[in-house]
Amino acid sequence: MKIGVITFPGSNCDKDMIYVWEQLLEQEVVNLWHKSNHLQNCGLVILPGGFSYGDYLRSGAIARFSPIMQQVAGFAAEGGFVLGVCNGFQILCEAGLLPGALLHNSSRKFICKNVFIKPEHTNSLITASLNTSKAYKIPIAHGEGKFYTDQETLKNLNEKKQILFRYCDARGEIGSESNPNGSLQNIAGICNEKKNVFGMMPHPERAADVELGNTDGKEIFQSILDAVAV
Amino acid sequence: MGKTIQKEAISVDTAIKLGLLSEEFEKIKEILGRTPNFVEVSIYSAMWSEHCSYKNSITWLKKLPKDGPHMLAKAGEENAGLVDIGDGLGCAFKIESHNHPSAIEPYQGAATGVGGINRDIFTMGARPVAQLNSLRFGNITNEHARWHLRGVVKGIGDYGNAFGIPVLGGEVFFDECYTTNPLVNAMSVGIIDSKKMISATSHGVGNPVFIVGSATGKDGIHGASFASKDISETSMDDLPAVQVGDPFQEKLLLEASLEIADTDAIIGMQDMGAAGIICSTSEMSAKGKHGMKIWLDRVPVRQQNMQAWEILLSESQERMLVVVKKGKEKIVQDIFDKWDLNCVQIGEVTKGNELEFFMNNELVASVPAESLVLGGGAPVYERTYSEPAYFKENKKFRIDSISIPNDLKAVADFLTTHPNIASKKWVTEQYDTMVGTVNMSTNKPADAGIVNLKGLNKALAVTVDCNARYVYADPEEGCAIAVAEAARNITCAGGEPSAITNCLNFGNPYNPEVYWQFVSAIKGMSKACEKFKTPVTGGNVSFYNQSASVGKEGGNVSNAVFPTPTIGMIGIIPDKKYITSLAFKKPGHLIYLLGESVNDISSSEYLYSWHKVKQSPAPYFNLEKEWKVQTALKELIQQGFIVSAHDCSDGGLYITLIESAMPYHLGFSIDIDSDVREDAFLFGEAQSRVVVSVSPEKVDDFLDLIEEKLNIDYYLLGEVVKGDIIIDGKKWHKIAEVKEMYNNALAQYMNE
């Protein structure tokens, strides 16, 4: 599958994402510039982490006006696969492609550490081949990652199986102890109703290289490839 | 265009107010052959400040070992040192202080420190891959110190996280000597294709000179001069001397700079740090032995009506000066346009050596570049020094004057939760430690940070170290220990020490006792660097880390911070299979201590904080023995005989053991060596000791190699067990309890 990774000014996980898809998953990858108006026939468009435009106003608030975001919106509307990680997730929420918002962490501090997340179900491309009873060790690194939405949207997200991952502990228990940032119902990642736009705060690309001692994140990406290949 | 200087000549009083000495004013008149005007005096006051000129330190810095088999750029030649790491790659690295700005504005002070040091690396064409920082604050129970800590950590985090380079190491230390003067030392490490290094030079008559990056504002004016005096009650008046950082601009500047590094359009590039435009124009011109004509009114500015001297001296961040090959301007312009950054021609290279600055067609300053810079006309002073009385007092300490506490477990718990020893995760979790996907120590903690060199079977090991209490106790031995500890950390991680950068934080150099600390530290650093073949590639000197001097010139040595020569070291791990974690892996593995057990508690956290004895010498240290232990350890690692290695440092052997046990929730059962006091054995900080674990299958090979070849002291401590801490057969703790104490202590001090 051809993968497009967008670089916004201030993206800083774009190269990491490209490295994983190109070198470790051996896919064709193109780097898409934010001023561009083409998605170059990619099967999956990824919005990587970083601090787009410095995120001085609100994370993702400016990046959603980048020219390429119009293309991303059109692509998503036609059912194209879009994944936002960290700042990419924030941009997708700001752009209205995903519901909810990402607020300042409850601690009011930036948090970077390994956490555990558990797939909610296997009803989406990104969780299709994951084990719903396994706690995946994936790092987070964000200051604004507390997922929030109104009660009705939350109810819908649950009912329509749009919740992809919840924060848990090493044993897979979901509780306030294992919630690193105060997200509603420990939500770490969601998708849209059509299940073609995905957003998550944890960084699978940081847990993909065997040389770094953790490949749980590679399994998440591999799930996408497996599902598309079928 | 007139060549006559238009402004009125000024008096020596104005020069003194700008921080110059009267003899320096005379020297300027001699150089110019006339009385300087205000702009010119401002230029000299910035360039001849301690911060830029190293005038009180350079004679001693020159005595440091500078050359090594792998040096591509030596100290002072470029913005940072450059070491050959093989495979056509170079490693550029440097450490710098941002102490004074952080003292009065912790957040921006620390943030711009991170920005500045990274610019030093990427201005050479290297992509930063790792950051480290070494921080010192007053006692954590003091709210002022906590204010410093909160602001500095947030500043480093907000800037570094957005810029997107992982933090791979650092240290945080608390002592009341840093209450007024916290120390904020930031280090950056970058990787470069050795053939593509950009030099900080300027030549080729007619070549255009560009300013790129942020617009110039009134922030940071006289920052270099501010950093060259003691912190006093009136320091808050200097707040405008603190710069404001914008990591987003820095990130764009990084990407644009590395893109132009890939072209053939560039003669030279230098970032603008201390003393702004005047510093980069003069240093590049002096290095390239040319002059420059600069039109200051073309510099993009943030506010109206900026004066010539303000534009010249502004320390606005995220700017670079670029000398472009004539005819290739468009290549450079297009790259900066792509990244939406300013890129404006402000001058051109001229024949000779004169820097001429114009404002609205009027010549406002004309000075020879060479006369401004270190190694050129900048003043050089020999300072007198004398041994302070406290030094002899320290040596009178006798261990017999201290009785062994009845409850050693209470001491252990005290040290486990001591802010200097407990986990620093309250700090480090605020930093992005994993961006870049090169941090090999996240899931495999080691004594040094390990940077993956993707695609190669080698890695880089990085560390910063300095126990300033040891340096205070004995500057020469203490500084040698700092180098030795850095090398030990690299070696424990499986690396081979390669080179160092230093950040020399001291008090007021006009005080002879402070200067004695400085001179002694340099001597100690020299001998240790020679032993480990780790040349000094550069760094920075920060004097005046001293609260206001009253009375005699240079104040009192007791008002100065501990002499703190922070050592940043890089090493090469020649094969990834040598990477060694500090963590015990499996119950049943044997635990050995390599090195000598000594009846010594000098300058330990135990002596200083538990017994509150503040006068003692540096801990036991023998450079030859240190070298032998490290050489032996390297061989044991490369032979594959050991499972883990962790050196004994702050808090002593007990702390080393719990730190090795915690990552995999294991415990240990050990016996105390009856030849030394129990307290010295568990909590003493005698140097040159490493705790290793060995699997039962490898233990014969391990012992044979030590006995037959390596010839070092060793001692069987005991073995790794499931989850208990057992000492002399008595169960002290479950590892989970220790972990809880160790991990949460700092957050509790921060009232969270």
Side-chain angles (χ1 to χ4, degrees):
Chain A
M1 181 164 57
K2 189 172 175 183
I3 314 283
V5 176
I6 301 177
T7 297
F8 295 95
S11 293
N12 62 28
C13 303
D14 46 342
K15 290 186 172 63
D16 304 349
M17 195 63 91
I18 292 168
Y19 178 77
V20 169
W21 284 95
E22 204 168 61
Q23 303 297 321
L24 306 179
L25 293 162
E26 297 176 339
Q27 301 299 304
E28 183 186 357
V29 180
V30 288
N31 190 192
L32 302 167
W33 183 237
H34 72 113
K35 289 178 189 169
S36 158
N37 284 307
H38 303 278
L39 297 180
Q40 299 185 35
N41 299 316
C42 290
L44 167 67
V45 173
I46 299 178
L47 286 71
F51 288 72
S52 50
Y53 294 90
D55 281 342
Y56 293 125
L57 172 62
R58 197 174 62 241
S59 296
I62 311 270
R64 77 182 186 93
F65 296 110
S66 271
I68 202 158
M69 284 308 292
Q70 282 217 331
Q71 304 302 315
V72 172
F75 179 69
E78 288 163 18
F81 295 122
V82 179
L83 166 65
V85 171
C86 198
N87 192 224
F89 183 14
Q90 293 162 340
I91 295 167
L92 291 174
C93 288
E94 286 287 336
L97 294 176
L98 286 173
L102 294 147
L103 311 182
H104 281 282
N105 298 342
S106 295
S107 65
R108 312 294 293 176
K109 290 204 293 274
F110 187 93
I111 304 167
C112 175
K113 63 177 182 183
N114 275 327
V115 300
F116 290 92
I117 58 173
K118 200 156 96 168
E120 183 87 348
H121 53 69
T122 54
N123 278 337
S124 77
L125 200 67
I126 193 167
T127 56
S129 56
L130 299 184
N131 178 349
T132 52
S133 55
K134 175 178 167 177
Y136 290 78
K137 183 163 87 173
I138 311 286
I140 55 166
H142 57 247
E144 297 173 28
K146 174 180 174 175
F147 182 78
Y148 185 80
T149 186
D150 59 71
Q151 284 303 315
E152 196 180 329
T153 310
L154 186 64
K155 192 161 154 261
N156 276 333
L157 284 173
N158 275 300
E159 282 173 6
K160 292 177 179 161
K161 297 198 178 310
Q162 287 173 246
I163 293 165
L164 299 171
F165 299 102
R166 293 187 205 265
Y167 298 109
C168 62
D169 65 17
R171 295 183 312 275
E173 302 288 331
I174 297 165
S176 58
E177 288 283 297
S178 58
N179 187 340
N181 53 22
S183 283
L184 273 183
Q185 296 184 353
N186 282 43
I187 292 172
I190 58 167
C191 62
N192 62 347
E193 202 176 329
K194 280 162 58 191
K195 296 194 169 53
N196 66 316
V197 179
F198 316 99
M200 61 192 296
M201 288 313 294
H203 287 266
E205 82 280 9
R206 295 185 180 187
D209 188 348
V210 68
E211 293 198 318
L212 304 187
N214 178 10
T215 53
D216 282 5
K218 193 177 173 186
E219 293 181 39
I220 294 173
F221 290 162
Q222 189 65 48
S223 171
I224 299 176
L225 289 177
D226 293 348
V228 169
V230 171
Chain B
M1 204 177 296
K3 280 244 173 181
T4 326
I5 298 286
Q6 300 291 327
K7 302 286 182 199
E8 277 174 39
I10 63 150
S11 70
V12 66
D13 294 345
T14 311
I16 288 169
K17 273 187 198 142
L18 286 170
L20 288 162
L21 303 172
S22 58
E23 66 259 35
E24 289 171 344
F25 186 65
E26 288 308 313
K27 196 173 169 187
I28 296 166
K29 289 206 289 196
E30 207 175 290
I31 289 166
L32 298 180
R34 59 183 165 78
T35 306
N37 64 26
F38 180 78
V39 180
E40 290 163 336
V41 171
S42 294
I43 287 172
Y44 281 97
S45 92
M47 290 303 295
W48 287 4
S49 69
E50 189 70 52
H51 193 77
C52 292
S53 74
Y54 294 84
K55 60 190 170 189
N56 286 308
S57 59
I58 189 65
T59 54
W60 284 95
L61 297 178
K62 281 186 171 165
K63 298 181 201 289
L64 288 166
K66 286 202 174 47
D67 210 357
H70 302 133
M71 295 306 298
L72 295 173
K74 289 180 217 164
E77 285 181 356
E78 296 294 345
N79 281 295
L82 190 64
V83 174
D84 185 1
I85 56 171
D87 294 285
L89 297 177
C91 175
F93 68 108
K94 191 179 179 185
I95 190 166
E96 242 178 32
S97 62
H98 242 216
N99 304 335
H100 281 72
S102 302
I104 61 168
E105 217 297 40
Y107 179 83
Q108 289 296 349
T112 52
V114 172
I117 192 62
N118 278 298
R119 273 196 307 286
D120 272 336
I121 300 304
F122 71 78
T123 193
M124 294 174 74
R127 180 175 283 281
V129 291
Q131 306 189 65
L132 301 95
N133 49 67
S134 170
L135 311 176
R136 285 171 183 77
F137 305 98
N139 194 321
I140 196 168
T141 55
N142 178 327
E143 175 51 27
H144 191 61
R146 289 199 298 271
W147 174 72
H148 277 143
L149 173 64
R150 267 187 220 106
V152 164
V153 170
K154 188 156 173 54
I156 291 173
D158 282 1
Y159 200 102
N161 297 345
F163 182 56
I165 308 302
V167 173
L168 262 84
E171 41 174 12
V172 185
F173 184 84
F174 303 93
D175 188 281
E176 59 194 2
C177 73
Y178 301 109
T179 306
T180 308
N181 293 272
L183 301 183
V184 176
N185 295 176
M187 173 168 163
S188 177
V189 181
I191 302 287
I192 184 177
D193 174 343
S194 311
K195 290 188 290 292
K196 288 188 180 161
M197 187 189 78
I198 302 177
S199 188
T201 190
S202 165
H203 50 76
V205 175
N207 278 331
V209 178
F210 283 79
I211 190 167
V212 302
S214 292
T216 300
K218 290 190 182 181
D219 53 330
I221 292 171
H222 286 304
S225 309
F226 164 57
S228 306
K229 57 188 182 191
D230 295 346
I231 296 280
S232 70
E233 300 268 302
T234 61
S235 290
M236 282 310 271
D237 301 343
D238 282 327
L239 201 55
V242 180
Q243 316 86 341
V244 177
D246 179 350
F248 174 57
Q249 288 292 314
E250 176 106 337
K251 169 70 176 161
L252 303 183
L253 193 57
L254 162 72
E255 298 301 338
S257 298
L258 294 184
E259 274 190 36
I260 62 169
D262 256 342
T263 71
D264 67 343
I266 303 295
I267 297 284
M269 176 157 73
Q270 182 168 342
D271 77 303
M272 285 187 224
I277 294 178
I278 184 58
C279 186
S280 45
T281 53
S282 59
E283 289 184 356
M284 290 177 81
S285 298
K287 185 173 167 72
K289 301 195 185 315
H290 274 66
M292 238 181 230
K293 204 179 264 189
I294 300 286
W295 300 284
L296 292 171
D297 44 289
R298 295 190 191 173
V299 174
V301 290
R302 286 184 202 156
Q303 49 223 110
Q304 297 293 305
N305 303 320
M306 280 184 72
Q307 304 295 307
W309 63 274
E310 291 176 318
I311 297 171
L312 262 175
L313 266 59
S314 164
E315 294 184 7
S316 287
Q317 300 288 293
E318 294 92 24
R319 301 177 301 157
M320 299 270 198
L321 195 75
V322 189
V323 178
V324 178
K325 289 178 189 162
K326 197 168 178 60
K328 305 214 169 181
E329 294 89 340
K330 190 168 182 309
I331 297 172
V332 175
Q333 196 82 53
D334 286 349
I335 289 171
F336 283 92
D337 282 351
K338 172 186 164 189
W339 290 100
D340 298 318
L341 288 168
N342 284 316
C343 176
V344 178
Q345 187 185 344
I346 59 166
E348 63 179 39
V349 179
T350 57
K351 231 171 89 175
N353 176 45
E354 200 72 3
L355 296 176
E356 295 177 305
F357 296 99
F358 295 89
M359 188 81 180
N360 303 319
N361 284 336
E362 181 189 3
L363 182 65
V364 292
S366 180
V367 292
E370 188 71 15
S371 73
L372 297 172
V373 303
L374 166 70
V380 174
Y381 299 128
E382 300 273 354
R383 299 251 71 86
T384 55
Y385 52 94
S386 61
E387 186 185 291
Y390 82 78
F391 183 59
K392 278 203 179 64
E393 284 302 306
N394 285 355
K395 300 217 158 187
K396 290 183 188 158
F397 172 78
R398 292 289 171 266
I399 190 170
D400 303 338
S401 65
I402 304 294
S403 50
I404 302 176
N406 291 325
D407 188 355
L408 289 171
K409 182 165 164 276
V411 179
D413 294 351
F414 170 82
L415 291 174
T416 302
T417 54
H418 192 284
N420 283 343
I421 289 170
S423 164
K424 302 300 181 292
K425 84 186 176 87
W426 184 90
V427 172
T428 53
E429 284 183 359
Q430 297 188 54
Y431 305 148
D432 195 333
T433 52
M434 303 186 220
V435 62
T437 55
V438 291
N439 187 345
M440 299 180 86
S441 7
T442 307
N443 300 304
K444 200 178 172 188
D447 274 9
I450 300 173
V451 183
N452 192 17
L453 299 172
K454 289 175 185 170
L456 298 176
N457 184 26
K458 61 166 75 166
L460 211 57
V462 294
T463 183
V464 280
D465 293 288
C466 178
N467 186 316
R469 187 180 293 148
Y470 304 167
V471 186
Y472 175 76
D474 184 336
E476 185 169 336
E477 288 301 287
C479 191
I481 289 173
V483 175
E485 189 189 349
R488 204 186 309 137
N489 284 332
I490 302 270
T491 307
C492 283
E496 298 172 2
S498 185
I500 74 159
T501 174
N502 58 29
C503 195
L504 307 173
N505 310 273
F506 288 82
N508 190 320
Y510 289 85
N511 177 303
E513 295 180 347
V514 168
Y515 206 73
W516 174 85
Q517 294 175 329
F518 174 74
V519 169
S520 305
I522 295 285
K523 289 178 183 164
M525 192 183 305
S526 293
K527 70 180 181 195
C529 285
E530 271 158 18
K531 190 74 212 172
F532 293 105
K533 297 193 175 57
T534 50
V536 181
T537 66
N540 143 260
V541 180
S542 170
F543 282 132
Y544 307 96
N545 294 292
Q546 181 156 341
S547 45
S549 337
V550 185
K552 67 175 171 173
E553 190 181 24
N556 193 311
V557 70
S558 61
N559 289 338
V561 297
F562 284 158
T564 311
T566 311
I567 304 298
M569 186 180 281
I570 62 157
I572 313 283
I573 299 175
D575 186 320
K576 283 177 187 168
K577 70 172 188 263
Y578 299 155
I579 294 172
T580 304
S581 169
L582 60 80
F584 294 151
K585 295 281 154 50
K586 230 176 147 181
H589 285 186
L590 298 160
I591 308 171
Y592 283 89
L593 178 68
L594 305 183
E596 195 183 357
S597 286
V598 188
N599 228 359
D600 178 71
I601 55 171
S602 291
S603 281
S604 62
E605 195 66 64
Y606 160 66
L607 181 65
Y608 194 87
S609 297
W610 178 268
H611 290 290
K612 300 193 166 47
V613 172
K614 312 218 161 174
Q615 298 269 283
S616 69
Y620 173 80
F621 176 65
N622 177 307
L623 188 56
E624 285 304 320
K625 284 186 179 165
E626 175 79 46
W627 168 253
K628 271 180 76 178
V629 167
Q630 289 192 28
T631 308
L633 178 62
K634 185 175 108 182
E635 174 122 17
L636 289 164
I637 287 173
Q638 299 199 346
Q639 292 290 336
F641 293 163
I642 65 174
V643 174
S644 71
H646 187 22
D647 81 319
C648 290
S649 61
D650 303 3
L653 176 68
Y654 175 80
I655 297 296
T656 304
L657 287 165
I658 64 165
E659 286 174 348
S660 289
M662 285 185 288
Y664 293 110
H665 317 281
L666 292 166
F668 53 86
S669 174
I670 61 147
D671 292 324
I672 294 175
D673 184 343
S674 54
D675 290 346
V676 295
R677 285 168 55 130
E678 289 167 310
D679 58 348
F681 182 79
L682 291 172
F683 311 123
E685 297 180 15
Q687 296 296 296
S688 320
R689 295 179 302 151
V690 178
V691 169
V692 300
S693 63
V694 184
S695 71
E697 305 82 62
K698 292 278 173 72
V699 77
D700 289 342
D701 292 339
F702 168 81
L703 291 173
D704 286 350
L705 184 61
I706 293 181
E707 286 291 346
E708 284 161 24
K709 185 175 168 197
L710 301 175
N711 190 26
I712 53 163
D713 291 312
Y714 69 98
Y715 175 80
L716 175 63
L717 286 162
E719 63 172 11
V720 179
V721 301
K722 261 185 165 173
D724 292 326
I725 293 176
I726 300 161
I727 293 176
D728 279 343
K730 290 190 210 68
K731 186 173 149 185
W732 278 24
H733 275 300
K734 282 191 182 308
I735 196 72
E737 296 159 9
V738 171
K739 220 169 159 173
E740 172 86 15
M741 286 193 276
Y742 180 83
N743 280 339
N744 298 330
L746 211 54
Q748 281 166 10
Y749 278 108
M750 297 309 289
N751 305 320
E752 284 173 17

